[in-house]
Amino acid sequence: MVITLPRKYDIQAGQEFCITRDAKGVITLISVITDFFKDAQPGEFVDEEDELARKFSPLQGEVDE
């Protein structure tokens, strides 16, 4: 689908969007986000807090709804 948008919105040519249309016909464009981790090396985004989270075990009742 091709949609022409006014220049004032500063949308780059070729930018991708997910498009939805509701029951009233309103069209919503949600921009597709670039995959930040696509070219990441193993462990590149691991820090101290990640290591802490891996060792965490909730006690009884800590994750009740």
Side-chain angles (χ1 to χ4, degrees):
M1 175 185 289
V2 175
I3 296 177
T4 302
L5 299 171
R7 289 182 193 254
K8 69 180 180 179
Y9 295 120
D10 196 30
I11 305 298
Q12 301 301 312
Q15 186 171 346
E16 293 184 33
F17 294 89
C18 292
I19 301 172
T20 60
R21 190 171 86 183
D22 69 14
K24 295 181 181 181
V26 175
I27 297 173
T28 303
L29 303 173
I30 303 169
S31 57
V32 174
I33 298 175
T34 304
D35 183 358
F36 299 110
F37 304 106
K38 184 175 98 175
D39 298 320
Q41 300 299 314
E44 184 174 355
F45 291 97
V46 176
D47 59 18
E48 292 174 11
E49 291 177 356
D50 294 321
E51 295 300 324
L52 178 64
R54 284 191 184 110
K55 297 175 185 172
F56 176 76
S57 295
L59 300 175
Q60 188 176 22
E62 287 184 337
V63 289
D64 289 344
E65 291 182 31

